[in-house]
Each structure stands twice: as C-alpha cells, then as structure tokens.
Amino acid sequence: MRRPVFLSPMNATPDIQLQRHLAWWRWSGFFLGCAAFFLSFFHRVCTGAIAGDLQREFEMGAAALGTLGATYFYIYGLTQVPLGVLIDTIGPRKILWVGMTVAGIGSLAYGYSGSFGAALASRTLIGLGVSGVFVSTLKLHANWFSDQRFATAVGVSNVSGIFGALAATAPLAWLVTQVPWRTVFVAIGVISIVLAAAIALFVRDAPEVSGNRVAAGEWRSALKAVALNRATWPPFWLTFSMSGAFMTLVSLWTAPYLVHKHGLSQVAAGSYPAMTLIAFACSVPLIGWLSDRVRARRPITLACSIAFFGSGLIYLFAPTGAIAWFVTAAVLAGVAGPGFTLAWSVAKEVNPPECAGMAISIVNIGGFAASGILQPLVGWVVDNGAGVAAGGSGDAYWLGIGVIVAWMLVAIVAATRLTETHCRNVWAPAQRGG
C-alpha cells in the first residue's frame, strides 16, 4: 500500500496526487511555523509597550524592568544547543508543538501573576516554550525547501515574526488602554495552546521517512563537529552583535530613550520601534530573496551591518526635536537590520545538512545571549549614570544608547569573516579540502 506523505521523492512516482500531498505538508508546516513565529516575536518585544503598567504594578525601577525583559532571552539562549540536538534527532514537529503548549501555560501564568517574582517565573516559562520555535521552523524549511530557496523562506517567515513584534509595540500600547494587560496575555495563552494542537496534527518533519536526522547515538560527535568548525563562529558573532543590538533597541530602550532624552510622549516614542519593525518586515524577505538570487551572502551582510551601525549613530547624535532624523534612524535600522538573518543560512551551509538544527541553534545563541546581557546592562547604565550623568536622566539614557551603538561594531568585523557559500552547502567540499 502506497504511503504518499512519507515516500522519498527520489523513489516516489511523480503523480499529481503525490505532489498534492507533499505540497500540503510543506505549506501547512510553513504557515503554522509562521504563526508560532508571530507569537514568539510578540513575547520578545512586548515588555517595552507595557513597561509603565509593569513598573507601577510591581513597583520596580529600570534595572528590574530590564531584568524582566531579559529573562526571556536568558532561558532562550541557554536552551538553544540542547534543543538543536533534539530537533536534529527526534525532529522539529514535536519540539514545536510541545514548546507552544509550554509557552501558552506561561502566558496564562503571566496574566495571573501577583508579584514581580511570579511575573519573572512566568516570563521564564514563556521563554522556555518559544525557545524551540525558531530553530524548529528553520529545520522544517531546510527539510522542505532547496538550498537556493532557503534564505527566501527564512525571510518570508521572519515577516510573520516581525508582525508579531509590531503587534507588541504601538498596537499593544493602545490595547492595554482599553483592556487590562493581564487579559491580553491570558488570551495569547489560549491561542498558543490551540496552535500547538494544530501543529501536532498538521505538520510533518520532512518528505523522507528519515526526516534528515542525526542518529540518536551520534549526536555528540555531530555537535562536536559543528562546534569545532571555525566557519560556524563568524555567524555566531554576527547575531551576537547585530541581532542583540536590534532586539535591545526595538524591544525595550528606543522608546524610553526618546521620552527621557528628547521629550517625546510615550505614544509618539512608541511609534519609532514600530517604524523599525515595519521597515524590517518589508526588507527581510527582499534581503533573503536578493541573497538567493545573486548567490551571495557576505557582501550583503557587510553592507547591512555598516548601515545598521549608521542608524545607531543617528539616534545617538541627532539633536532634540529633529524628528526627520529620528525617522531616518528608525527606518534605516529596519532596512539594514535583516542582514543578520543571513547568518543562519551560512551556518546551515557550512555544516552537514543533517546538523542544520545544531548549527542554527549555536548561531542563534548569539543574539539571545547578547540581549540577555545588553538589556539589563543598559538599564544599569541608566540607573547609575555611569558616573557621568544623574541616574535616570536623559543624559543617562543617552549613555545607555551609546553602549548599544558600540555593540554594533562587532557585526561589521564578523561580516568580513563569513564564509561565502554562494548559496550551496560547502561542508562536503571543505572536508575533502576543496
């Protein structure tokens, strides 16, 4: 009896029915992965939009707020490698639906949290739940799309994530003026659990029976090979600098900086991260498509990292009242920011195909480790003034943004060290000395 879903494409009869089955599983996984991306990015960015509510309700300062925002990133970063191993051995589907269930429970708990400690624990649970979303989805893309379409698929998926992040900026800031912030997170929790059920039912790991997996007994040697591959690490440092700085700016510190240093209202200041995310959503699929189209990774990434650093300089040195400069900085950060997304393509292409989850997870640690360090570091600078400005003053916020801008420089160096793969897997030729 024929099993159309799991027949290997090399052995299957290329009839219309088989192609329809394969297309169904490919696109159901793609769109449900995009939905998980949406919720994951929403949780990443949401702290900034409800910062005032959280500070009033839990009576905390900027450093504590930074810690609450960064807790998500701590647990996310710590779990990347273990999850990468699991994704490559047992498959992305299980990790994805179990993770969304955990995130849903965490969101429900966040909505009912009665203290700062409970909120911290709940946000940690959310981070744990969504920590496998990204790598699982990219592993699905690696299994279901060719190398020459991978960056494009990643770029389009990132659009859904950016819409989630965008929903967590000005729209969320408006929504919590209409309903309690707790109600929002309870609703998100219910939606996450429903999505988990849909993923369990309608996603498959790969067209092949094996699912392009690493054998369970070989994961240690596979992980060691990825970690000892020097070509894996420039993409790591790229995400460490560029992704970390981007998420720190957009998710937490841009709006408070504009309020305290330049006197904008909370609503007006919240529009600038939203502009960045809109520009990012427009740019990220184009950067992935362009990279696949011209068969190049490194030059595009280098140009983006330089432009992103330029956006930080504009934020840092634009005079008060120079709205056009703030708009330029916000849009430029969004247009150039997606350059770091090509790091995942490079990581996949310089390592064995069956180790894509491990390679992407190692590189992905960079952005979350940086966010976990940078968000509270900026909060500490703001509270303490770095010994130069009064803690919490506009000048202290300026110093905090200066830390983020300095962080961006690492991305330029990392981009120059990327292996140019020309959009194909180069691991096997590299092992042969080719």
Side-chain angles (χ1 to χ4, degrees), residues 5-355:
V5 174
F6 294 108
L7 281 173
S8 170
M10 294 185 295
N11 300 322
T13 303
D15 55 56
I16 295 175
Q17 188 68 21
L18 173 60
Q19 294 305 316
R20 287 176 178 173
H21 276 290
L22 292 173
W24 160 256
W25 293 115
R26 177 186 298 116
W27 293 111
S28 63
F30 180 84
F31 286 113
L32 288 172
C34 286
F37 253 49
F38 181 96
L39 294 175
S40 175
F41 275 65
F42 178 91
H43 285 300
R44 245 178 245 191
V45 175
C46 66
T47 303
I50 60 172
D53 297 275
L54 294 171
Q55 286 182 299
R56 283 190 298 273
E57 189 152 346
F58 298 123
E59 299 179 348
M60 57 184 177
L65 179 64
T67 300
L68 182 62
T71 299
Y72 170 105
F73 298 100
Y74 294 147
I75 190 67
Y76 201 116
L78 288 171
T79 57
Q80 287 305 283
V81 170
L83 284 171
V85 171
L86 289 172
I87 288 164
D88 281 339
T89 52
I90 69 174
R93 170 179 160 272
K94 290 180 181 177
I95 301 300
L96 199 54
W97 77 258
V98 171
M100 289 311 301
T101 301
V102 172
I105 294 170
S107 188
L108 290 169
Y110 196 44
Y112 287 109
S113 57
S115 65
F116 175 74
L120 203 65
S122 300
R123 187 155 170 81
T124 301
L125 193 60
I126 292 170
L128 176 63
V130 300
S131 59
V133 167
F134 180 80
V135 180
S136 294
T137 304
L138 264 62
K139 178 72 173 186
L140 287 172
H141 292 348
N143 289 346
W144 285 98
F145 294 92
S146 68
D147 286 342
Q148 290 72 34
R149 294 182 178 179
F150 179 77
T152 303
V154 172
V156 175
S157 294
N158 267 282
V159 173
S160 66
I162 295 308
F163 281 138
L166 181 61
T169 56
L172 178 60
W174 171 83
L175 183 60
V176 296
T177 65
Q178 308 299 310
V179 298
W181 68 269
R182 295 177 179 279
T183 302
V184 174
F185 284 91
V186 169
I188 292 292
V190 173
I191 293 169
S192 299
I193 293 171
V194 172
L195 178 60
I199 291 168
L201 291 172
F202 302 122
V203 172
R204 293 295 179 266
D205 287 329
E208 303 88 356
V209 175
S210 65
N212 200 19
R213 297 176 186 171
V214 173
E218 298 177 1
W219 70 266
R220 291 179 182 84
S221 59
L223 179 60
K224 182 179 178 181
V226 173
L228 292 180
N229 182 357
R230 280 187 279 182
T232 300
W233 294 100
F236 170 90
W237 290 111
L238 182 69
T239 61
F240 183 85
S241 176
M242 204 168 177
S243 175
F246 183 88
M247 290 308 304
T248 298
L249 274 173
V250 171
S251 68
L252 193 53
W253 292 117
T254 296
Y257 166 69
L258 293 174
V259 169
H260 291 277
K261 176 62 177 174
H262 294 287
L264 275 65
S265 69
Q266 186 68 47
V267 173
S271 67
Y272 290 92
M275 289 179 202
T276 299
L277 291 170
I278 291 170
F280 192 106
C282 294
S283 178
V284 66
L286 294 178
I287 286 177
W289 173 84
L290 178 64
S291 178
D292 284 343
R293 178 76 174 178
V294 303
R295 301 287 191 268
R297 305 295 194 206
R298 185 167 56 200
I300 296 173
T301 303
L302 180 59
C304 287
S305 62
I306 293 170
F308 184 58
F309 177 67
S311 72
L313 291 178
I314 295 172
Y315 266 133
L316 199 58
F317 295 110
T320 297
I323 300 302
W325 283 106
F326 298 149
V327 171
T328 300
V331 173
L332 183 59
V335 169
F340 72 80
T341 63
L342 296 181
W344 305 314
S345 297
V346 173
K348 181 183 78 73
E349 290 160 359
V350 298
N351 284 290
E354 65 272 16
C355 297

